[in-house]
Amino acid sequence: MSSTTRPTVTPRRAGDPEPDLTGIRLSHRAMVRDCGRIAAVVAAIASGRRHCTPARARAVSRYVDLLCESIHHHHSTEDQVAWPVIEASAGSHVDLTELTEDHAALDPRLAQLRARAAAFRISDGDAATARPLAELSDLHTLIGEHIVEEEREIFPVITAHVSFSDWEGVEKAAQKRGRMSFDAPRHLAVMTEEEWIRLGATINPLLRVLFALLSVRHRRIERAVFG
């Protein structure tokens, strides 16, 4: 169970709209996709199959750092914001102990990967320094397994017990805590056509322009990392 003080929640009543889980689904998809992509790039550099210039080493190092930061932010938001709301809403219908323990076990791995990414940057892309970053493949597997379990066990509980407004508060807290310049373009990149249509119907024109600008900038970063 989460040690955070339980918030006051609005009980979900029969007939109320279901909470919108699009935000957390996009976060999950983006994490799995990016862990796999960056792990493949690092493996190619470490094996000598891909040449790495100092500029690419800097870009890869920065991307690993931002990705680990984003994953940590996502998990800490779940622990500190989402889990207390779910516990207060669902009571005995949910036990979040195992998922919280998964988060705690991942944190040291993320910190280690960020340190290894910094060493890779300093080495100007030396293949030997890339090899310790091969643990990104393990992270990809662990994140994928964790997300499958979380969505299977927790999403039905949220849908059944958490009110639309309370979950909306969780999503707003996640957005405030995150790094929009990194997270928003990655979330947009994994949206389905249906999700794009829903977004287009609700987003205001200024935010649309901001997202477009962030996506252009992020594509430049991706080219430097992934080619």
Side-chain angles (χ1 to χ4, degrees):
M1 297 283 281
S2 170
S3 60
T4 306
T5 303
R6 285 192 179 186
T8 301
V9 297
T10 302
R12 186 164 187 271
R13 299 168 300 181
D16 285 350
E18 291 184 356
D20 184 359
L21 302 183
T22 302
I24 191 170
R25 290 185 191 278
L26 293 177
S27 294
H28 286 174
R29 279 183 226 153
M31 278 192 285
V32 173
R33 174 179 181 260
D34 268 5
C35 283
R37 290 200 304 163
I38 197 67
V41 167
V42 168
I45 294 170
S47 68
R49 289 180 287 112
R50 172 172 283 192
H51 176 64
C52 186
T53 64
R56 171 162 279 174
R58 290 192 296 271
V60 168
S61 174
R62 179 61 173 159
Y63 206 91
V64 171
D65 189 63
L66 288 171
L67 178 58
C68 289
E69 176 190 83
S70 181
I71 294 170
H72 172 73
H73 146 70
H74 179 82
H75 288 164
S76 63
T77 300
E78 287 182 336
D79 291 337
Q80 298 166 17
V81 182
W83 287 180
V85 167
I86 295 170
E87 289 173 337
S89 302
S92 60
H93 293 282
V94 66
D95 182 359
L96 299 167
T97 304
E98 187 173 340
L99 292 174
T100 302
E101 289 173 350
D102 283 352
H103 293 172
L106 276 171
D107 276 345
R109 285 178 174 266
L110 296 174
Q112 186 178 59
L113 282 168
R114 295 176 82 172
R116 290 175 176 177
F120 179 64
R121 178 190 182 108
I122 293 170
S123 79
D124 286 339
D126 178 67
T129 315
R131 290 182 192 118
L133 279 171
E135 192 176 333
L136 282 161
S137 294
D138 294 334
L139 179 67
H140 180 223
T141 300
L142 289 171
I143 289 288
E145 291 173 348
H146 173 81
I147 284 173
V148 167
E149 179 184 3
E150 183 176 306
E151 294 189 355
R152 182 182 63 243
E153 301 294 332
I154 302 304
F155 279 17
V157 176
I158 298 171
T159 300
H161 298 283
V162 179
S163 70
F164 182 92
S165 61
D166 285 336
W167 190 254
E168 191 174 42
V170 170
E171 290 288 0
K172 287 179 179 178
Q175 292 164 10
K176 287 179 181 178
R177 288 167 165 235
R179 186 188 292 266
M180 180 182 283
S181 61
F182 184 68
D183 291 332
R186 294 166 53 248
H187 292 182
L188 292 171
V190 296
M191 291 178 74
T192 64
E193 183 177 354
E194 180 184 347
E195 288 163 347
W196 268 109
I197 293 170
R198 289 207 310 268
L199 178 66
T202 59
I203 192 172
N204 70 64
L206 288 178
L207 200 54
R208 189 191 299 271
V209 171
L210 175 60
F211 283 169
L213 292 173
L214 291 177
S215 293
V216 169
R217 176 181 177 274
H218 191 72
R219 281 195 292 272
R220 289 199 299 268
I221 295 170
E222 288 188 316
R223 284 195 295 271
V225 175
F226 303 109

